[in-house]
DNA sequence: CAGTGGTCTAGACCACACG
DNA sequence: GTGTGGTCTAGACCACTGA
């Protein structure tokens, strides 16, 4: 056995993956491990990075597949827009699924971020965005009941709280302060996005303000790298 | 044995870590695995996420330590500034180490991003930023020799190409287009930042333009989450 | 040198998808 | 049921640190 099984493995796997057509299936893990002359644990560890780069996709009970070119949702961060609007502008088709609307009470942490008393009534909207028959973003909006009640969400509601407010025209919105983080997927988010626990994600934590300076919406967004490309133009000095 | 060793493990470990004072050492991995009633592999997998969150730090040959509160470098993305300038503005002390300056030739990929002929002479400046006696950022600048030669870098050069150009006053700089990604650490970057391979990092890919529209500098930046907090103010519609 | 974290192995059992 | 990926185990050896 070589002294650096891991690096050798990665290049071997890279060649194998690139040599196969899109959507084709790789050998099963036990078979592939035997072929490569390593244990299954080592094989899986090496595969992790390829999955993180979006080159392969593993589906439990089915197999491991080569991923072809994927549509990319590219956007500047200067202007706030919904994923739906972004996709439409680019000419890409996205679908909302797993749309859930809940009525919840503010715990201490939520009360603090929304500047409200504890136990205030809130509306929570969570949803998963699909494109290319794959979940690529998981979005959770939390906002005071005064701005949105579950009852207001009739048919035709796509899940975008931002678009709904813009369509409604009230409250008047001004800006969103968005923090950008790199994180690993929790069990909950991993399930929603059909990735492994501990896979890398881009996270936005956003506070949306009305033109009166009030916090209208607190949102958490999780994006699959590879399907999104965010950029910002920074001025010097 | 319980049916979900992993989740139980995580909460047990979380309690243990929080119950210990900063900088204290955890039991060795074999000991801890025995105490928790799991195999060492499972223990290490659970520890990964804590390390990713910056709660613990593992050092080969030494041990695993609880990390206390760490200084955070917070910054908006609207304005481009060097890490040194940012740290100074916040009142934090950072040190540059592993400063390397090379003279290289543009390969095909570099030539394309810098809009130059292949084999053009380039200057590459790479460095690691320390704070709190820990590497927290790894920065690589690549730029045409006409803008910076290795010879220009006398003593007092901190490593910031941006600051040097601003001090020098030429070329005149306008904006930087910065792409923001969540990635896992390659072996090279992992070594520089003293983290595990596959640990999550925030990456900036930046193109710095002169006011003539020419690309002056192409930079890759890798940030340890937990030590940096980047945000952007987005306007609506 | 002894002790630590980093890597790897061979095998087992589980949860899941699909015929 | 059969075969897949997901998880876990017990043990081994390596690379590194610091006394």
């Amino acid at each position: 056995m070589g002294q650096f099984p891991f690096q050798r493995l990665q290049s071997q796997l890279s060649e194998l993956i690139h040599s196969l057509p899109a959507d084709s299936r790789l050998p099963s893990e036990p078979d592939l491990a035997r072929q490569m002359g390593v244990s299954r644990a080592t094989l899986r560890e090496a595969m992790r990075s390829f999955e993180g780069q979006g080159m392969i996709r593993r589906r439990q009970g089915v197999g491991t597949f080569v991923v072809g070119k994927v549509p990319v949702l590219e956007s500047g961060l200067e202007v706030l827009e919904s994923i739906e609007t972004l996709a439409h502008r680019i000419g890409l088709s996205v679908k909302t699924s797993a749309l859930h609307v809940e009525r919840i009470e503010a715990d201490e942490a939520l009360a603090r971020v929304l500047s409200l008393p504890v136990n205030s009534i809130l509306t929570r909207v969570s949803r998963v965005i699909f494109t290319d028959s794959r979940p690529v973003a998981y979005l959770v909006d939390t906002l005071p009941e005064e701005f949105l009640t579950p009852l207001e969400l009739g048919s035709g509601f796509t899940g975008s709280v931002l678009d709904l407010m813009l369509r409604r025209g009230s409250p008047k919105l001004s800006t969103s302060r968005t923090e950008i983080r790199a994180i690993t997927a929790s069990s909950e988010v991993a399930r929603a996005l059909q990735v492994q626990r501990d896979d890398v994600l881009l996270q936005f934590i956003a506070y949306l303000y009305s033109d009166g300076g009030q916090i209208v919406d607190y949102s958490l967004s999780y994006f699959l790298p590879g399907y999104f490309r965010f950029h910002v133009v920074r001025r010097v000095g």
Side-chain angles (χ1 to χ4, degrees), chain A residues 21 26 29 31 60 77 82 84-86 96 111 113 117 119 126 133 139 147 151 186-187 191 196 218 229 236:
Chain A
L26 294 175
E29 295 187 348
D31 285 355
Q60 185 171 0
L77 292 175
S82 68
E84 285 83 354
T85 304
L86 165 60
T96 297
V113 305
N119 295 330
S126 60
S133 59
L139 311 170
F147 297 124
L151 294 174
S186 65
S187 300
R191 203 179 322 113
Q196 308 289 114
Y218 167 68
R229 197 173 298 149
V236 173

Side-chain angles (χ1 to χ4, degrees), chain A residues 116-134:
Chain A
L116 287 174
V118 174
N119 295 330
S120 302
I121 305 301
L122 307 173
T123 302
R124 167 161 291 169
V125 180
S126 60
R127 58 196 173 117
V128 176
I129 303 280
F130 275 72
T131 187
D132 205 26
S133 59
R134 193 197 197 306

